[in-house]
Structure formats: C-alpha cells, structure tokens
Amino acid sequence: PDYYYERSGKHAFWTFVSLAEKVDENYKEFLPKVRAEWKPIERAALQNQQQFEMKILDVWEEDRGGAIQMLTEYTSEYAEKILNISRQMLKEATD
C-alpha cells in the first residue's frame, strides 16, 4: 500500500528514519544525546537477558504459547520504550 511510504509519526519506521536524519544533520550534537538515552535501556536489557532466557526455557517446556507470549511482551516493552524516547528526542529537537 502507498500509505507505507507516507511519512507519519504513527509509523515507528518513520520515527527512526526522522531521528537518523536529525542526527545526520548535526552528528556531533545529536549522536551523544541519542546514545545517552538509549545506552541505559541497552544495558538493562543485557543485564536481564540471561535470567529472562532461563525463565523462558522453563516455561517453554510446559507452555510454549505462554513462552511465546512472554517473548512478545518482553520485546514489545523494549521496542515501545525506544520508540517513545525517539519520539521525545525528535520533539525536543524540533521545538
């Protein structure tokens, strides 16, 4: 569909494209800001990864659907955090 190619803040893809373009406009200024926002989330995800994987493996043996749901919720939570932070950074950069 054509609407996929229309820039819209409703689509996560365009949010990330817009943020990348903003960083490209002034790499020296914006890249450190993006890194400062994303780094704590990346760090938390990595710190929790092994424990979460072990939990998923335990659930997988008894309830594969439940394990898949847990994975979906886990990845969606992190994706939503990064998307919201990206939207906020864009808003601040254009104000």
Side-chain angles (χ1 to χ4, degrees), residues 2 11 19 21-22 39 43 48 65 74 76 79 85 88:
D2 288 337
H11 299 289
L19 183 59
E21 289 172 344
K22 186 57 74 175
K39 198 64 166 173
R43 202 174 293 124
N48 297 329
Y74 180 80
S76 294
I85 288 170
Q88 184 62 37

Side-chain angles (χ1 to χ4, degrees), residues 63-77:
D63 180 10
R64 289 182 180 207
I68 290 169
Q69 183 64 35
M70 289 171 65
L71 286 166
T72 300
E73 290 170 4
Y74 180 80
T75 55
S76 294
E77 178 184 325

Side-chain angles (χ1 to χ4, degrees), residues 26-65:
N26 191 338
Y27 197 78
K28 186 177 179 181
E29 179 184 349
F30 287 112
L31 185 64
K33 291 179 181 181
V34 172
R35 285 184 176 163
E37 291 289 338
W38 287 3
K39 198 64 166 173
I41 294 171
E42 290 174 0
R43 202 174 293 124
L46 290 172
Q47 287 174 345
N48 297 329
Q49 191 67 29
Q50 185 175 12
Q51 181 181 1
F52 181 73
E53 287 176 1
M54 297 304 293
K55 186 175 178 181
I56 290 296
L57 288 173
D58 286 342
V59 173
W60 183 263
E61 294 298 320
E62 300 295 323
D63 180 10
R64 289 182 180 207

